[in-house]
Amino acid sequence: MKIICIGRNYAKHAEELNNPIPEEPVVFLKPETALLLKKHPFFIPEHSNEVHHEVELVIKINRLGKHIEPRFAHKYYTEVGLGIDFTARDLQAKAKQAGKPWTLAKGFDGFAPLSPFSAKPPALSVEDMADYQLQFQVNGGTRQSEKLSQMLFNASELIQYLSSVFTLQPGDLIFTGTPSGVSQVVPGDRCLAELKDSDGSTTHRLEIVIE
Ligand code: ZN
């Protein structure tokens, strides 16, 4: 399986890191070993002094697909969840400056924790979840809070774009980008990621304690 991630997919997040608004999706991959296994602790790696949280909606692909048209994209996933695209921001900044890939900054073991996934109704696409709100708290204080409607490239556009390059396979995950408010986590922090529907009810939840 592949873990495909989208960078700079919310305008305010691109701005907070002094990046231009992209004209095409910014794409990178994480290795499968970045998944944080259940009951495993999350450790800050020795290589970094600045690990940031990035809360993201994650789409789980359930059908083989290539060159998927946007109007059919919702047929290629039945489940969505929440993920955290943990990022060693110091290593990423160094790589960006040198024109090198972000792989190391994004790829440490455990850098992609996931919430439980839940089924969406078959006809529903992520675009129909525009009013859903992504939230991220550290020690009870809100750091990130944004509606899915603020994505620059919506799920159908992402699936079209990605499937023009990669064959999408069942089990592939698409991290759809993070809103503004990313910040550093340190050992002892208690993190809570939530997705809330338009009534404010929590549909997905992921708790992480930083070791
Ligand atoms: Zn991200």
Side-chain angles (χ1 to χ4, degrees):
M1 56 88 74
K2 302 183 275 301
I3 306 174
I4 307 171
C5 301
I6 306 301
R8 304 173 193 168
N9 203 26
Y10 289 79
K12 280 188 261 172
H13 171 63
E15 284 165 15
E16 74 182 343
L17 295 182
N18 297 315
N19 290 311
I21 307 294
E23 284 170 17
E24 288 188 324
V26 175
V27 180
F28 60 94
L29 299 172
K30 284 183 190 264
E32 194 174 338
T33 43
L35 294 176
L36 184 64
L37 302 175
K38 273 204 180 85
K39 306 247 153 92
H40 279 233
F42 176 83
F43 287 106
I44 305 266
E46 281 175 16
H47 302 67
S48 174
N49 292 312
E50 192 189 3
V51 170
H52 280 198
H53 56 80
E54 296 191 355
V55 66
E56 310 198 2
L57 182 84
V58 181
I59 295 169
K60 188 187 275 182
I61 296 295
N62 75 330
R63 280 174 63 186
L64 196 71
K66 180 91 184 179
H67 297 297
I68 300 164
E69 289 182 43
R71 65 195 165 114
F72 297 129
H74 68 279
K75 295 178 182 288
Y76 288 80
Y77 58 94
T78 56
E79 291 182 302
V80 295
L82 272 181
I84 305 170
D85 168 20
F86 275 112
T87 303
R89 196 71 72 201
D90 47 357
L91 300 190
Q92 189 195 28
K94 231 197 249 176
K96 272 160 75 174
Q97 218 169 22
K100 290 181 178 171
W102 303 351
T103 310
L104 297 181
K106 296 283 195 177
F108 287 97
D109 287 1
F111 264 33
L114 295 172
S115 73
F117 277 69
S118 74
K120 64 170 182 64
L124 191 73
S125 68
V126 169
E127 288 86 285
D128 297 317
M129 298 165 65
D131 278 341
Y132 281 52
Q133 187 115 13
L134 275 175
Q135 292 197 339
F136 195 83
Q137 296 186 344
V138 180
N139 304 322
T142 300
R143 303 266 180 102
Q144 296 186 272
S145 179
E146 187 64 276
K147 288 193 173 169
L148 297 182
S149 59
Q150 295 306 301
M151 283 193 220
L152 295 171
F153 298 99
N154 68 30
S156 297
E157 291 165 336
L158 291 176
I159 287 171
Q160 176 194 32
Y161 186 78
L162 295 171
S163 71
S164 74
V165 178
F166 308 117
T167 297
L168 297 182
Q169 297 170 298
D172 286 352
L173 300 172
I174 303 173
F175 278 64
T176 56
T178 198
S180 62
V182 300
S183 64
Q184 187 175 6
V185 290
V186 294
D189 280 347
R190 307 185 75 84
C191 303
L192 172 63
E194 286 178 293
L195 186 66
K196 294 189 169 171
D197 66 17
S198 37
D199 299 326
S201 308
T202 299
T203 60
H204 298 76
R205 182 186 163 90
L206 167 62
E207 269 183 281
I208 302 272
V209 177
I210 309 296
E211 306 274 336

